[in-house]
Amino acid sequence: MKPFIPHDLPIKNMDWQKFQRILGPANRAIARYDGLLQSIPNPAVLLSPLTTQEAVLSSKIEGTQATLEEVLKFEADPNRETEHYQDIREIINYRKAMAFAVAELEERPMSLNLLKRMHSILLDNVRGENKSRGAFRNIQNWIGKPGAAIEEARYVPPSPLKLMENLDAYEKYLHAEDDDALVQVAIIHAQFEIIHPFLDGNGRIGRILVPLYLHSKNILHQPMFYISAYLEKHRDEYYDHLKAISDDGNWEEWIQFFLKAIDTQARANTEKARSILNLYEQMKQKVVESTHSQYALQSLDGIFTAPIFSSSEFKRFTGIPKASSARILSTLRDEGIISILEEASGRKPAVYIFRELIDIVNQ
């Protein structure tokens, strides 16, 4: 099988009628979601668990098995033994790469250099770190069954001799204005996977690009869009539609699939974000009235940011003094707001869970 030659961007002679029916609803759904995002006073706090869940699901597409609860429990106490340690490290790196990119975009536009720096963070001290971490590949890669030769490959990305030419054209398209931003982000994600510029981590970087691009184009005022739940649920379709681009040049069905993903997840994101916001408002009154503490809102933000936490971590990330922290946790437990996940043992602190928030995120 020969290396694929990517199509020129923008895609010419595309039949927009094939995905026109879903394009309007997808744009309306994401506009409603962005409207809700703008109404949330502290989205980085309230939607923090959704951001972690996105990292969990995007990594799951690539074969990890760790759950949201396992990641949060590990972060509550990194010294405890855990079954999926390497998976959890990959998920945490995903979130770090995303946070780094968001901060970078405040200062400068999207670029190939940004992609390499994200990749370096993603593969730091985890599986794949020895596969040219932070660098574009200079050898031929291919996609197929484990151990398969290139002749048996499902797909062979562009030749390394043409890679920088392909990436330069890709970067220009990132900064171009196509006829519709949602169609453009569908093409941007697919073309990145088609070029497959890294030896490992292409899928995850490609999915991080989705909210980054939507934010860079002001479609979203915050780079918080969670698409991986749909792609993980429809994994075979996801891969088949990507393959149909290289096999048959079928961009229209890929775009239709991706717009459906955006529409579905914009609605799901809206519902979850609204449920989290409503829960926050309910808990604000309850926590203030029950704790009678000047630190009530700090503690509330703390359990929304990290809904699984140890007593020592709670004191650290909220900045609440030790005595007040212990009293607040006791009150929150008595009120049924949080519950014990693991009792304190010896020098190990107790681990708590804010189950109501976890249940919303896992819906």
Side-chain angles (χ1 to χ4, degrees):
M1 181 178 284
K2 292 182 179 180
F4 183 70
I5 300 173
H7 302 121
D8 292 337
L9 300 179
I11 305 300
K12 297 178 176 61
N13 303 318
M14 203 157 52
D15 186 357
W16 285 62
Q17 289 300 318
K18 290 189 175 180
F19 49 81
Q20 198 70 47
R21 182 175 292 181
I22 187 64
L23 183 56
N27 271 293
R28 289 191 293 273
I30 205 163
R32 283 193 295 270
Y33 172 64
D34 184 55
L36 180 61
L37 270 185
Q38 292 181 64
S39 74
I40 297 175
N42 45 358
V45 170
L46 295 193
L47 302 187
S48 176
L50 289 181
T51 301
T52 300
Q53 180 73 313
E54 173 69 8
V56 167
L57 294 175
S58 184
S59 300
K60 187 178 179 182
I61 294 173
E62 306 303 325
T64 62
Q65 297 179 21
T67 64
L68 172 67
E69 288 90 339
E70 286 178 303
V71 174
L72 295 176
K73 191 175 176 182
F74 172 82
E75 291 188 302
D77 185 358
N79 295 319
R80 293 174 189 258
E81 290 187 9
T82 182
E83 180 183 359
H84 297 125
Y85 175 77
Q86 285 301 325
D87 289 359
I88 291 169
R89 293 301 315 166
E90 290 184 32
I91 291 163
I92 291 172
N93 281 2
Y94 184 104
R95 203 177 53 197
K96 287 179 179 177
M98 179 71 185
F100 170 79
V102 170
E104 284 291 298
L105 287 178
E106 295 298 320
E107 303 293 332
R108 52 189 63 86
M110 295 177 75
S111 67
L112 298 181
N113 187 53
L114 175 60
L115 297 183
K116 289 192 290 185
R117 295 174 74 185
M118 288 163 56
H119 186 260
S120 181
I121 296 169
L122 184 71
L123 296 189
D124 183 28
N125 201 31
V126 295
R127 176 185 58 175
E129 67 174 331
N130 60 342
K131 294 183 178 179
S132 300
R133 178 170 71 94
F136 295 130
R137 60 183 171 88
N138 56 14
I139 60 174
Q140 184 65 62
N141 55 351
W142 61 91
I143 299 169
K145 294 179 181 178
I150 191 170
E151 293 80 13
E152 306 167 285
R154 174 179 168 88
Y155 172 68
V156 179
S159 163
L161 299 176
K162 294 286 188 180
L163 186 64
M164 288 315 302
E165 179 183 327
N166 298 147
L167 285 170
D168 287 343
Y170 181 77
E171 186 177 41
K172 287 184 176 67
Y173 186 65
L174 279 175
H175 300 145
E177 295 286 341
D178 213 332
D179 291 338
D180 182 273
L182 296 191
V183 172
Q184 189 165 357
V185 76
I187 294 169
I188 282 168
H189 177 69
Q191 190 80 336
F192 183 82
E193 303 307 329
I194 286 166
I195 295 172
H196 232 65
F198 299 112
L199 291 179
D200 195 13
N202 293 286
R204 286 166 288 172
I205 295 292
R207 287 184 289 276
I208 291 175
L209 280 173
V210 174
L212 294 181
Y213 176 79
L214 293 174
H215 178 53
S216 74
K217 292 295 184 181
N218 294 317
I219 303 299
L220 294 176
H221 284 75
Q222 298 284 341
M224 297 174 178
F225 189 73
Y226 313 107
I227 197 169
S228 291
Y230 188 93
L231 301 180
E232 200 279 323
K233 184 177 180 180
H234 300 88
R235 191 185 309 189
D236 289 343
E237 264 189 278
Y238 176 39
Y239 290 146
D240 288 345
H241 282 302
L242 283 172
K243 191 170 187 299
I245 297 173
S246 57
D247 285 354
D248 309 312
N250 194 340
W251 280 96
E252 290 86 355
E253 287 195 13
W254 159 256
I255 291 170
Q256 185 176 23
F257 169 80
F258 202 81
L259 291 175
K260 178 65 174 175
I262 289 175
D263 180 48
T264 301
Q265 288 310 117
R267 295 169 192 271
N269 293 344
T270 300
E271 186 175 334
K272 286 187 179 184
R274 186 175 288 120
S275 295
I276 290 172
L277 182 58
N278 290 340
L279 179 63
Y280 185 84
E281 293 301 324
Q282 293 167 20
M283 289 299 163
K284 182 193 292 185
Q285 183 176 356
K286 193 172 182 179
V287 170
V288 168
E289 291 177 353
S290 61
T291 62
H292 304 289
S293 171
Q294 62 179 313
Y295 302 115
L297 294 184
Q298 278 174 253
S299 62
L300 182 64
D301 285 353
I303 65 174
F304 270 84
T305 302
I308 295 177
F309 56 92
S310 67
S311 51
S312 57
E313 279 294 292
F314 178 79
K315 180 174 72 71
R316 184 188 63 79
F317 64 66
T318 61
I320 299 173
K322 186 176 181 179
S324 297
S325 171
R327 185 179 63 80
I328 288 170
L329 287 178
S330 178
T331 302
L332 295 181
R333 184 182 177 187
D334 291 344
E335 292 292 325
I337 295 171
I338 61 174
S339 57
I340 288 279
L341 191 61
E342 287 186 8
E343 296 283 358
S345 175
R347 298 179 64 182
K348 290 184 177 180
V351 176
Y352 297 87
I353 183 169
F354 183 16
R355 175 60 66 186
E356 203 166 351
L357 177 56
I358 292 289
D359 288 344
I360 290 173
V361 176
N362 279 333
Q363 284 175 358

